[in-house]
Amino acid sequence: MVSTPADEIAHDFPPFFRVYKDGRVERFHNYVYVLPSDDPNTGVRSKDVNNNSARLYLPKITENNQKFPLLIYIHGGGFSIESAFSTGHDKYLHSIVTKANVVAISVDYRLAPEHPLPICYDDSWAVIKWAALHVEMSDHLITEPWLKDHVDFSRVFLAGDSAGANIVHDMMVRASASEKPLGDGFKIVGMALIHLFFGNDEPDEYCSFVFPGCTGLDDPRLNPALHFRLLSSLICLKILIFTTEKDVMRGRSLAYYDALKKSGWKGEVEIMETQGEDHVFHLLEPTCEKAGVLMKRLVDFFNEKI
């Protein structure tokens, strides 16, 4: 029996995807889409916004004109799987919003390999710029009222897991590139990076495939620990890094932490390591004790006084 291009594999990257010679992409993980909803138990409400590029979460309102910090969250998945609209990430955002009492925007970016990097970065930046427009715009027919009425834009946080943490770092670099790229009143005070997906000084076939236009092993989006100048100019006041004992990328998180401390950056950085666990264990087992410890530290981080 003669094989056809539909059967022949051109590129194979478990646990993410394989590409066949006819161009077809087969993902090893297909997320389960969940609709936005209102939770009667927690009072958290959600809806999809900005042409379905993000899901917006509003905590329970207990006072008129109540204002909350804003969390902009970016999901992981190797740049090629998962979604802001997946069951797992939707539940996790509901939990963060309930416990931390923040308004949250969960970004949904286009996935590689059909949409190679840097598309995910540009999509995420577009959502952040859309959110920043609400600081000064007053027309409720144009703006999103949950943001306009209930966000304290002087307390904005960025957070993400795995590849999402990689994207979050790049968003902070972009926000720090000029004095006020997002306008007056939109202040990113901190970022939380959970189980970072960065490259290192070794060739990486996967990263080269999903990011064909990168500048190589020293690309600042894949290996930021080599770029002290960019790190030293970050505008946020504090950074919280999470890693785990068994994470294959643990060393890259430690290198990023050390580089931040050596770069001359004036903010506060903390790293928290979970013993005995692997990459993104908190999403795979969100009800386990150690996931609860991670969640508590994350919530405390968003609620600390600046």
Side-chain angles (χ1 to χ4, degrees):
M1 183 175 180
V2 179
S3 63
T4 68
D7 303 317
E8 297 176 8
I9 298 172
H11 304 279
D12 202 11
F13 294 111
F16 301 117
F17 61 84
R18 65 167 53 110
V19 181
Y20 292 88
K21 288 187 177 181
D22 67 354
R24 178 169 56 93
V25 175
E26 178 189 3
R27 285 181 167 79
F28 297 114
H29 168 79
N30 291 307
Y31 68 86
V32 177
Y33 173 86
V34 62
L35 289 167
S37 63
D38 295 348
D39 189 328
N41 296 316
T42 64
V44 173
R45 304 171 64 192
S46 64
K47 61 181 173 180
D48 296 341
V49 295
N50 197 29
N51 296 318
N52 295 323
S53 65
R55 181 159 291 179
L56 179 62
Y57 299 83
L58 182 71
K60 184 177 181 178
I61 305 295
T62 58
E63 303 173 10
N64 291 333
N65 302 316
Q66 192 170 3
K67 300 281 188 179
F68 305 92
L70 175 64
L71 167 64
I72 299 175
Y73 190 93
I74 304 178
H75 74 83
F79 309 105
S80 61
I81 59 174
E82 267 296 333
S83 167
F85 309 137
S86 71
T87 302
H89 277 95
D90 181 71
K91 286 182 178 178
Y92 202 70
L93 265 294
H94 266 281
S95 185
I96 290 175
V97 170
T98 300
K99 292 177 170 65
N101 222 27
V102 295
V103 172
I105 299 173
S106 186
V107 178
D108 198 63
Y109 51 87
R110 287 172 289 175
L111 300 176
E114 296 91 339
H115 305 283
L117 283 67
I119 288 175
C120 62
Y121 299 111
D122 296 337
D123 286 352
S124 300
W125 184 240
V127 172
I128 292 174
K129 290 196 296 181
W130 169 78
L133 290 175
H134 292 76
V135 177
E136 298 178 357
M137 293 177 66
S138 60
D139 188 343
H140 279 225
L141 295 176
I142 300 174
T143 58
E144 168 50 55
W146 286 6
L147 294 178
K148 191 66 181 176
D149 296 341
H150 295 295
V151 167
D152 175 3
F153 287 102
S154 70
R155 287 181 58 82
V156 179
F157 293 88
L158 305 182
D161 61 88
S162 193
N166 174 303
I167 299 170
V168 162
H169 167 78
D170 187 67
M171 297 302 96
M172 188 64 73
V173 169
R174 294 191 188 201
S176 307
S178 60
E179 187 176 353
K180 294 178 181 178
L182 297 171
D184 292 321
F186 192 89
K187 186 175 182 181
I188 303 175
V189 296
M191 65 175 175
L193 307 172
I194 307 171
H195 307 167
L196 287 160
F197 187 122
F198 283 146
N200 57 16
D201 297 335
E202 299 294 329
D204 188 316
E205 184 181 357
Y206 178 78
C207 288
S208 297
F209 186 79
V210 298
F211 196 177
C214 74
T215 59
L217 298 177
D218 63 344
D219 191 292
R221 290 159 292 190
L222 297 180
N223 199 354
L226 299 180
H227 297 269
F228 279 18
R229 183 186 62 80
L230 292 179
L231 295 177
S232 68
S233 64
L234 297 182
I235 59 173
C236 59
L237 303 175
K238 57 181 185 174
I239 296 173
L240 176 59
I241 302 167
F242 293 92
T243 188
T244 70
E245 180 186 16
K246 296 181 178 180
D247 192 345
V248 68
M249 296 188 181
R250 174 180 178 272
R252 303 174 202 185
S253 293
L254 297 177
Y256 180 79
Y257 171 77
D258 289 340
L260 272 171
K261 298 193 74 172
K262 295 174 182 177
S263 69
W265 176 63
K266 303 302 182 182
E268 297 181 1
V269 59
E270 174 189 345
I271 190 165
M272 173 180 166
E273 180 169 297
T274 304
Q275 298 300 307
E277 297 293 348
D278 211 330
H279 195 71
V280 298
F281 77 94
H282 63 296
L283 295 175
L284 301 174
E285 299 182 77
T287 60
C288 74
E289 181 180 354
K290 291 177 182 178
V293 173
L294 189 156
M295 173 65 79
K296 184 180 184 305
R297 183 64 194 96
L298 197 61
V299 168
D300 289 344
F301 180 75
F302 298 143
N303 288 304
E304 289 167 355
K305 292 186 178 180
I306 305 299

